[in-house]
Amino acid sequence: MGYKVGIVGATGLVGTTFLKVLEERNFPIDELYLFASARSAGKEVEYRGKTYIIEELTENSFDRDMDYALFSAGGSISEKYSPIAARNGVVVIDNSSAFRMDEDVPLVVPEVNPAAAMKHNNIIANPNCSTIQAVVPLKIIDEKWNIKRVVYSTYQAVSGSGLAGIKDLEEGIVGAAPKNYPHPIAYNCLPHIDIFMENGNTREEEKMIGETRKILEKPNLPVSATCVRVPVKHGHSISVNLELEKEFEIEDVREALADAPGVVLMDDVANNVYPMPISAEGKDEVFVGRVRRDESLNSGLNLWIVADNIRKGAATNTVQIAELLIEENKN
Ligand code: A2P
């Protein structure tokens, strides 16, 4: 049996990757509906040898039989159209930040909190790209050694800003002024992702803090984050510093990470082996390396975590959530 699936933002970076991932994973689809803005209406898209026409997203787009809608067209589109879809009985899996911190909306990373996906009111949120790749290995460490404090420093690719981010980098390299970012991203780093909040954090940093607590179900966990945009096209990197409750042996941590679902341990510094954005590009796993003790703390651990932000950080995780739902449907 197949499902009726809609994709909102089907022409975007994440939207087109939804299609790739659905095809690769053989997601059972009977009907496929593709939505974008009026600018794209009428464009043709190929999926599994069949041609589909992009429709303009309107309030009536969900007046039809549809099982799942995968949204990735930005927060304001999600805010307006996800509730309409949900009221029409469509289960929305939303890649924007619009509903992530709502109490009645599950925020799901399938390797970490799959059970949360089963208690939804037709909207399930896909976490922030950096948060997803961080919590996959953190979950295993938390289960074994109980995380006391987290410090994140991110190195985030321009594809996280969609096609506009990639354009700023490509055109900036040949001397054009930036259109998407407030400063050049070519040959530069911007400690500025999303808007600045009153407390001095950016909204991206606040997302990582709040979402980590929600997904790990540790509402009081101290988390600090500095998020930086770097001139890399694909793949976010995160330096993670952890303070753990329990004592650990570094070899036990390596072993736990090597066994963790969705994690690939790449940690052989003698041979210059560690994760990098170029090695994570196009992959669905979370790559972890530079696993070492932080000697400035009693029970401190440093990790370097890299993943493809458009795949595991967005499209793959969203499709994995849909897979959890169809698995549950079978039972
Ligand atoms: P469009 O291509 O028609 O503008 P990205 O962040 O990678 O640039 O992708 C953004 C996605 O969101 C695109 O598919 C884009 O469609 C879609 N989008 C933007 N504005 C709207 C809108 N008003 N209605 C529906 N989709 C939209």
Side-chain angles (χ1 to χ4, degrees), residues 98-107 214:
F99 304 102
R100 286 180 191 152
M101 297 310 292
D102 286 12
E103 254 174 43
D104 62 345
V105 173
L107 184 65
K214 181 168 174 175

Side-chain angles (χ1 to χ4, degrees), residues 58-69:
T58 70
E59 290 180 15
N60 301 320
S61 295
F62 305 97
D63 294 347
R64 66 182 104 192
D65 196 13
M66 198 187 293
D67 300 299
Y68 302 115

Side-chain angles (χ1 to χ4, degrees), residues 20 31 33 40 78 93-94 101 112 177 223 237 288 290 316:
K20 242 190 255 171
E31 304 284 343
Y33 305 105
S40 305
S78 287
I93 310 174
D94 181 33
M101 297 310 292
V112 179
V223 183
S237 307
V288 184
R290 303 294 320 279
T316 303

Side-chain angles (χ1 to χ4, degrees), residues 8-15 35-41 43 54 56-57 72-74 77 81 159 161-164:
V8 176
T11 51
L13 264 187
V14 175
F35 305 102
S37 75
R39 293 180 292 276
S40 305
K43 271 194 193 159
I54 302 273
E56 178 186 355
L57 180 70
S72 193
I77 299 293
Y81 294 96
S159 54
S161 317
L163 294 168

Side-chain angles (χ1 to χ4, degrees), residues 6-7 16 24 27 32 39-40 115 147 166 197 206 226 255 261:
I7 293 184
T16 50
E24 285 167 10
F27 193 92
L32 181 65
R39 293 180 292 276
S40 305
I147 297 175
I166 294 188
M197 315 294 285
E206 290 291 332
T226 300
E255 203 176 301

Side-chain angles (χ1 to χ4, degrees), residues 105-147:
V105 173
L107 184 65
V108 179
V109 178
E111 294 89 341
V112 179
N113 61 341
M118 304 312 153
K119 290 169 256 146
H120 64 79
N121 296 317
N122 285 0
I123 300 181
I124 298 175
N126 195 61
N128 165 271
C129 41
S130 295
T131 312
I132 292 176
Q133 71 183 68
V135 295
V136 172
L138 258 51
K139 172 69 178 175
I140 299 299
I141 289 170
D142 190 46
E143 272 174 3
K144 292 189 183 275
W145 294 282
N146 200 5
I147 297 175

